[in-house]
Amino acid sequence: MNRRAELAANLAGVRQRVTAACRAAGRDPDEVSVVAVTKTFPASDVRLLAGLGVREVGENRDREAAAKAAACADLALRWHFVGQLQTNKAGSVAAYADVVHSVDRTRLVDALSAAATRAGRDLVALVQVALDDDPERGGTPPAAVAALAEEVAAAPRLRLGGLMGLAPLGVDPTPAFALLAEVAARVRAVHPQARWLSAGMSGDLEAAVAAGATHLRIGTALLGERRQPPVGSRR
Ligand SMILES: *Cc1c(COP(=O)(O)O)cnc(C)c1O
């Protein structure tokens, strides 16, 4: 099978899983977006996915993301930054990203807001909630989310889109996603526009849809196994 046919088959498989998960949860599949996480795969794959109708693309490292976004600038894609972000990369990310899923501290809010202002761009920012005790995976503790969401909502050129979470590795994701949904409901009570819930990856998208995810971040199920370990795994 050539690469285009392989990606087309994978995409159809993911869409089928999303549709089935929505049906099981009594949800409308139109409420759920798939972000294709293309990290470690070449810009040529992004181009093929775009040809298959994919518009939302995710990356987790600034250097790789910046190069791919530049190589695909003609495709009018929406770039999602999903990885842990150092404040000194905020300027670079604000130049190409439309959405940052991993806002987890005040200094990053300030850096992204300043960078987006300099770039004359608006960024959708999601507050990443820590759903386990692993500091390497990022996120702010559930009890600190309300205050951080307030800071994002007040920051020039940032729009509070909602929340993001990574389920703990190697255990049933359902309790973690339930906690995430509960924190999200509290944030929405104050910020009704913050409707996005970014949760669910290749291995746990069904549980995420059941918990109310609006954005699934899908790598492996679309693109195949990565050669490098994913960021967020223990190395
Ligand atoms: C790599 C990555 C994903 C995609 O993971 P898969 O299991 O390959 O679908 C999702 N979210 C983040 C933050 C990632 O770094």
Side-chain angles (χ1 to χ4, degrees):
M1 228 188 329
N2 68 26
R3 185 62 169 155
R4 184 177 190 281
E6 193 179 338
L7 292 174
N10 290 349
L11 185 60
V14 167
R15 288 192 173 143
Q16 227 160 48
R17 281 177 66 189
V18 173
T19 303
C22 285
R23 187 172 305 133
R27 298 185 59 201
D28 179 350
D30 290 347
E31 294 171 10
V32 181
S33 303
V34 171
V35 177
V37 180
T38 51
K39 64 191 186 198
T40 78
F41 290 96
S44 56
D45 279 354
V46 177
R47 198 163 280 280
L48 288 171
L49 285 169
L52 295 166
V54 169
R55 298 260 75 88
E56 314 283 330
V57 180
E59 287 283 335
N60 74 335
R61 288 175 194 273
D62 172 54
R63 244 141 84 92
E64 186 181 346
K68 265 182 241 182
C72 298
D74 57 312
L75 299 175
L77 300 171
R78 275 160 60 85
W79 292 87
H80 297 246
F81 194 88
V82 303
Q84 281 190 267
L85 182 54
Q86 294 168 266
T87 49
N88 63 4
K89 303 281 169 62
S92 173
V93 168
Y96 60 81
D98 300 287
V99 187
V100 177
H101 289 234
S102 46
V103 176
D104 63 359
R105 57 201 191 279
T106 299
R107 282 187 53 222
L108 187 53
V109 174
D110 295 344
L112 282 171
S113 176
T117 300
R118 278 195 305 275
R121 301 184 74 236
D122 293 311
L123 291 181
V124 175
L126 307 183
V127 171
Q128 183 182 347
V129 185
L131 298 175
D132 60 22
D133 300 325
D134 184 348
E136 281 193 33
R137 306 187 83 212
T140 197
V145 168
L148 197 60
E150 209 57 59
E151 291 173 12
V152 171
R157 289 286 192 173
L158 299 188
R159 188 160 74 68
L160 178 65
L163 304 185
M164 183 274 236
L166 284 168
L169 295 168
V171 299
D172 176 7
T174 303
F177 286 152
L179 170 63
L180 180 63
E182 192 187 303
V183 178
R186 285 204 295 267
V187 169
R188 266 199 311 274
V190 184
H191 306 278
Q193 79 285 4
R195 283 187 300 268
W196 291 25
L197 190 57
S198 168
M201 320 198 330
S202 295
D204 58 16
L205 75 85
E206 286 81 5
V209 167
T214 62
H215 289 73
L216 308 170
R217 306 177 311 270
I218 308 295
T220 313
L222 278 179
L223 291 125
E225 294 292 336
R226 288 178 291 273
R227 298 237 171 76
Q228 297 158 232
V231 163
S233 69
R234 289 185 184 78
R235 274 159 298 167

